[in-house]
Short mmCIF file of all heavy atoms in Angstrom, two decimals:
data_model
loop_
_atom_site.label_atom_id
_atom_site.label_comp_id
_atom_site.label_asym_id
_atom_site.label_seq_id
_atom_site.Cartn_x
_atom_site.Cartn_y
_atom_site.Cartn_z
N ARG A 100 -50.90 -205.50 -27.30
CA ARG A 100 -51.61 -205.56 -26.03
C ARG A 100 -50.67 -205.15 -24.92
O ARG A 100 -49.50 -205.55 -24.90
CB ARG A 100 -52.13 -206.97 -25.77
CG ARG A 100 -53.18 -207.38 -26.75
CD ARG A 100 -53.76 -208.74 -26.52
NE ARG A 100 -52.99 -209.53 -25.57
CZ ARG A 100 -53.41 -210.66 -25.05
NH1 ARG A 100 -54.57 -211.14 -25.37
NH2 ARG A 100 -52.66 -211.33 -24.20
N PHE A 101 -51.18 -204.39 -23.96
CA PHE A 101 -50.37 -203.89 -22.86
C PHE A 101 -49.98 -205.03 -21.92
O PHE A 101 -50.78 -205.92 -21.63
CB PHE A 101 -51.14 -202.82 -22.08
CG PHE A 101 -50.38 -202.32 -20.89
CD1 PHE A 101 -49.38 -201.38 -21.03
CD2 PHE A 101 -50.65 -202.81 -19.63
CE1 PHE A 101 -48.66 -200.93 -19.94
CE2 PHE A 101 -49.95 -202.36 -18.53
CZ PHE A 101 -48.96 -201.41 -18.68
N SER A 102 -48.74 -204.98 -21.45
CA SER A 102 -48.25 -205.92 -20.44
C SER A 102 -47.27 -205.16 -19.55
O SER A 102 -46.53 -204.31 -20.03
CB SER A 102 -47.54 -207.10 -21.11
OG SER A 102 -46.92 -207.90 -20.13
N TRP A 103 -47.27 -205.48 -18.27
CA TRP A 103 -46.34 -204.82 -17.36
C TRP A 103 -44.92 -205.29 -17.60
O TRP A 103 -43.97 -204.63 -17.22
CB TRP A 103 -46.73 -205.09 -15.91
CG TRP A 103 -47.99 -204.38 -15.52
CD1 TRP A 103 -49.23 -204.94 -15.37
CD2 TRP A 103 -48.15 -202.98 -15.28
NE1 TRP A 103 -50.14 -203.97 -15.06
CE2 TRP A 103 -49.50 -202.76 -14.98
CE3 TRP A 103 -47.28 -201.90 -15.29
CZ2 TRP A 103 -50.01 -201.50 -14.69
CZ3 TRP A 103 -47.79 -200.64 -15.00
CH2 TRP A 103 -49.14 -200.45 -14.70
N ARG A 104 -44.76 -206.43 -18.23
CA ARG A 104 -43.43 -206.98 -18.49
C ARG A 104 -43.05 -206.77 -19.94
O ARG A 104 -43.88 -206.85 -20.83
CB ARG A 104 -43.43 -208.47 -18.18
CG ARG A 104 -43.70 -208.73 -16.71
CD ARG A 104 -43.88 -210.17 -16.41
NE ARG A 104 -42.83 -210.95 -17.03
CZ ARG A 104 -42.76 -212.27 -16.94
NH1 ARG A 104 -43.67 -212.92 -16.26
NH2 ARG A 104 -41.80 -212.92 -17.53
N HIS A 105 -41.76 -206.53 -20.19
CA HIS A 105 -41.27 -206.37 -21.55
C HIS A 105 -41.19 -207.72 -22.23
O HIS A 105 -40.66 -208.67 -21.67
CB HIS A 105 -39.89 -205.71 -21.55
CG HIS A 105 -39.26 -205.65 -22.91
ND1 HIS A 105 -39.79 -204.89 -23.92
CD2 HIS A 105 -38.18 -206.26 -23.41
CE1 HIS A 105 -39.04 -205.03 -24.99
NE2 HIS A 105 -38.05 -205.86 -24.71
N GLN A 106 -41.76 -207.80 -23.44
CA GLN A 106 -41.65 -209.02 -24.21
C GLN A 106 -40.92 -208.70 -25.49
O GLN A 106 -41.25 -207.74 -26.18
CB GLN A 106 -43.02 -209.59 -24.50
CG GLN A 106 -43.72 -210.00 -23.24
CD GLN A 106 -44.86 -210.95 -23.53
OE1 GLN A 106 -45.16 -211.24 -24.66
NE2 GLN A 106 -45.47 -211.43 -22.49
N LYS A 107 -39.95 -209.49 -25.81
CA LYS A 107 -39.19 -209.29 -27.04
C LYS A 107 -40.08 -209.56 -28.24
O LYS A 107 -40.95 -210.43 -28.18
CB LYS A 107 -37.97 -210.19 -27.05
CG LYS A 107 -37.01 -209.84 -25.95
CD LYS A 107 -35.79 -210.70 -25.99
CE LYS A 107 -34.90 -210.21 -24.87
NZ LYS A 107 -33.85 -211.03 -24.51
N PRO A 108 -39.88 -208.82 -29.33
CA PRO A 108 -40.69 -209.06 -30.53
C PRO A 108 -40.55 -210.51 -31.00
O PRO A 108 -39.47 -211.08 -31.01
CB PRO A 108 -40.08 -208.10 -31.56
CG PRO A 108 -39.40 -207.06 -30.76
CD PRO A 108 -38.94 -207.73 -29.51
N GLY A 109 -41.70 -211.09 -31.33
CA GLY A 109 -41.70 -212.47 -31.80
C GLY A 109 -41.87 -213.49 -30.70
O GLY A 109 -42.07 -214.67 -30.97
N SER A 110 -41.80 -213.08 -29.44
CA SER A 110 -41.98 -214.04 -28.35
C SER A 110 -43.47 -214.23 -28.10
O SER A 110 -44.26 -213.32 -28.30
CB SER A 110 -41.27 -213.56 -27.09
OG SER A 110 -41.87 -212.39 -26.60
N PRO A 111 -43.86 -215.40 -27.64
CA PRO A 111 -45.29 -215.65 -27.40
C PRO A 111 -45.80 -214.80 -26.25
O PRO A 111 -45.08 -214.51 -25.30
CB PRO A 111 -45.34 -217.14 -27.06
CG PRO A 111 -43.96 -217.48 -26.61
CD PRO A 111 -43.03 -216.55 -27.32
#
Side-chain angles (χ1 to χ4, degrees):
R100 294 182 347 169
F101 177 80
S102 172
W103 290 104
R104 296 173 48 181
H105 174 66
Q106 296 198 356
K107 295 182 178 166
S110 66

